[in-house]
Amino acid sequence: MLNIRRIREQTEAVKAGLERRGEDSTVIDQLVAWDSERRALLQESEALKAERNRTSKTIGAAKDKEAMTALREQMRAVGQRIKELDGTVAEIEQRIAAAILELPNVPHASVPGGTTEEENHIHATWGEQPQFGFEPQAHWDIGAALDILDFPRGAKIAGAQFPLFKGDGSRLLRALGSWMLDLHVQQHGYREVWPPFVVRREVITGTGQLPKFEEDMYRTDPDDLFLAPTAEVPVTNIHKDEILDADQLPIKYTAYTPCFRREAGAAGKDTRGLLRLHQFEKVEMVKFVAPETSYDELESLREDAEEVLQQLELPYRVVELCGGELGFAATKCYDLEVWCPAIEKWQEVSSCSNFEDFQARRINVRYRPSPQARPEFVHTLNGSGLAFSARLYAAVLENNQQADGSVIIPAVLRPYLGGMERLSPPS
């Protein structure tokens, strides 16, 4: 959430930041006008309250009954005016709060300019794209031939974009999640948590998905609970309304959750197979850090996500998003895109973002830089580490397919599969 003080004191910079996102910045002028009106009304109200306090003492000391009556009548009018002013101030503050909740974060100065996917910056590439001596198959054909993926039966159960994993395909899915959690805990220093998979309205508002993206969420009645679209939501809210000590930072969590999103495939783009799902499995990384370290922490977060792809020996690239491609709450973001050879496309499997204090203000997470210091807002970060039941799973199948129809299992996953080295078609 943007701070009204920042909007007031850095109006042109905030407007320029929104324009770099391709957003209409005129709302900032409206907010500044409302804030100016609010402050003028508050000043008048405080002056009248001070006058009322002074007059109350005069009334108590007055000996002239007529003068006392006149003063009381005058103060009744003052009290009525104060009530009107305070009511108007409350109404304006509600307008300001509602408008600010709809405002995205301001991009960091280092974010590339641009508003379209084509204007993103390729930060780095890793690995060699595989060369096959045969026509590579798409993962949906590989999965059907191996009898590990069943899209028709998944659709029969829940509808399109809900796949059914079977047999060794289910084991491979479970292995991916378990290995990633172990990697982040044992080598990267994250603490594993297992959060609830449903969240309250104020929780999902706190991380920025609401109110703007409510139509993309799965919601339950009559509880008004939402199925988590990502573990970022429950995990970031672990420290909601808390004041942390400086020596607790950085706090690093990793968690597995299924993720639920109605928007998947809404545009009719890349919807076949596992490329875009309504439900998918993901391991997430979340950090709470001191503001002065947050951009260094973003780089290390990206490196932690990259190591997943490196150990799986999958070719990928790192994309630094331009202003117009940033997520709603992010100030800076890297996407990791894995190569899927059969469809000859790079597919996003991770986003690593710094939100600065945007989420912390919404959920009120602060820390004390020193024991006696005034609390300040932390910076929050998150990154997929990785989403593994959709595009990553597809990439594992497509990049490791063999001419005989089998798929080589990445070496790091074999201990989680009882030493199995390949998936083979049923005989």
Side-chain angles (χ1 to χ4, degrees):
M1 180 167 65
L2 296 181
N3 183 3
I4 188 61
R5 180 176 178 179
R6 180 183 180 186
I7 292 170
R8 180 171 66 243
E9 296 179 354
Q10 302 175 29
T11 303
E12 294 308 315
V14 172
K15 289 174 68 174
L18 293 181
E19 288 164 5
R20 288 179 65 206
R21 282 178 166 271
E23 297 277 346
D24 181 4
S25 66
T26 56
V27 66
I28 299 300
D29 294 323
Q30 179 64 76
L31 279 166
V32 170
W34 283 339
D35 180 57
S36 179
E37 181 183 1
R38 179 187 69 90
R39 295 170 73 203
L41 293 174
L42 277 173
Q43 187 175 16
E44 182 182 350
S45 177
E46 291 303 316
L48 289 174
K49 288 173 183 176
E51 179 187 347
R52 184 171 60 182
N53 290 339
R54 289 192 303 269
T55 304
S56 296
K57 295 176 184 178
T58 303
I59 292 173
K63 296 180 181 178
D64 186 325
K65 189 173 181 180
E66 284 188 20
M68 187 183 302
T69 301
L71 285 172
R72 282 178 176 158
E73 286 297 323
Q74 181 183 342
M75 286 306 100
R76 269 194 285 270
V78 167
Q80 181 61 33
R81 177 57 179 162
I82 290 171
K83 184 178 179 180
E84 293 171 359
L85 289 169
D86 289 349
T88 304
V89 166
E91 180 192 348
I92 293 172
E93 286 177 344
Q94 288 177 353
R95 272 186 266 151
I96 290 172
I100 285 179
L101 280 179
E102 297 277 359
L103 284 178
N105 209 345
V106 174
H108 187 262
S110 65
V111 170
T115 58
T116 66
E117 182 179 346
E118 290 71 29
E119 295 170 286
N120 292 335
H121 171 69
I122 306 303
H123 180 80
T125 58
W126 188 93
E128 297 292 331
Q129 296 176 10
Q131 303 297 317
F132 300 99
F134 57 93
E135 185 68 27
Q137 299 296 301
H139 66 273
W140 49 83
D141 292 324
I142 298 170
L146 294 174
D147 195 29
I148 62 173
L149 277 174
D150 194 327
F151 293 100
R153 287 193 173 98
K156 179 170 66 176
I157 295 167
Q161 274 82 58
F162 287 95
L164 174 66
F165 294 83
K166 301 191 297 185
D168 288 337
S170 298
R171 294 182 66 200
L172 175 61
L173 188 67
R174 180 157 43 93
L176 279 163
S178 296
W179 167 70
M180 287 179 198
L181 287 170
D182 287 346
L183 174 68
H184 295 316
V185 170
Q186 296 169 11
Q187 297 186 33
H188 299 155
Y190 292 79
R191 185 181 187 188
E192 183 179 350
V193 294
W194 192 284
F197 297 164
V198 295
V199 294
R200 298 162 64 187
R201 178 175 289 272
E202 61 265 34
V203 163
I204 201 167
T205 300
T207 46
Q209 284 80 11
L210 294 183
K212 190 174 180 66
F213 303 110
E214 182 158 358
E215 291 185 0
D216 295 341
M217 304 292 117
Y218 282 95
R219 177 179 166 274
T220 68
D221 281 323
D223 313 284
D224 197 30
L225 294 173
F226 293 80
L227 304 187
T230 166
E232 170 199 345
V233 176
V235 175
T236 303
N237 278 274
I238 287 174
H239 295 293
K240 184 178 185 292
D241 296 322
E242 293 183 17
I243 299 176
L244 308 170
D245 293 329
D247 59 8
Q248 292 179 265
L249 304 179
I251 295 173
K252 298 165 58 176
Y253 291 125
T254 187
Y256 155 80
T257 63
C259 305
F260 301 90
R261 302 182 187 180
R262 287 185 185 277
E263 58 79 27
K269 179 183 177 182
D270 293 335
T271 58
R272 192 168 183 189
L274 298 173
L275 298 181
R276 194 176 290 267
L277 303 178
H278 290 301
Q279 176 189 326
F280 58 97
E281 318 304 301
K282 182 151 68 102
V283 168
E284 195 80 356
M285 303 174 290
V286 172
K287 292 184 179 185
F288 300 82
V289 306
E292 63 271 16
T293 68
S294 67
Y295 282 94
D296 289 336
E297 292 286 357
L298 175 61
E299 299 304 317
S300 68
L301 182 74
R302 173 184 54 76
E303 290 168 0
D304 292 341
E306 285 190 60
E307 188 173 352
V308 174
L309 292 169
Q310 290 172 8
Q311 291 205 27
L312 290 172
E313 301 184 79
L314 294 173
Y316 68 91
R317 67 183 186 180
V318 181
V319 179
E320 186 177 357
L321 300 191
C322 67
E325 288 287 294
L326 287 176
F328 179 80
T331 61
K332 185 170 184 173
C333 178
Y334 295 105
D335 278 357
L336 305 189
E337 298 180 345
V338 69
W339 177 249
C340 288
I343 61 173
E344 298 185 323
K345 287 186 178 181
W346 297 98
Q347 294 288 322
E348 178 206 330
V349 291
S350 175
S351 287
C352 297
S353 302
N354 186 353
F355 307 113
E356 294 189 0
D357 63 1
F358 188 86
Q359 293 178 328
R361 286 183 179 277
R362 291 166 82 110
I363 61 177
N364 192 30
V365 183
R366 296 175 292 167
Y367 81 109
R368 294 187 190 276
S370 62
Q372 304 304 318
R374 183 185 181 91
E376 299 177 11
F377 288 103
V378 300
H379 282 191
T380 60
L381 303 91
N382 91 277
S384 311
L386 304 169
F388 61 89
S389 68
R391 297 165 183 174
L392 182 68
Y393 194 100
V396 169
L397 296 183
E398 291 190 9
N399 283 278
N400 293 289
Q401 61 183 295
Q402 305 298 304
D404 63 359
S406 66
V407 172
I408 301 297
I409 295 171
V412 291
L413 300 179
R414 294 173 191 172
Y416 294 82
L417 289 162
M420 185 188 304
E421 295 184 358
R422 70 174 63 211
L423 302 170
S424 299
S427 53

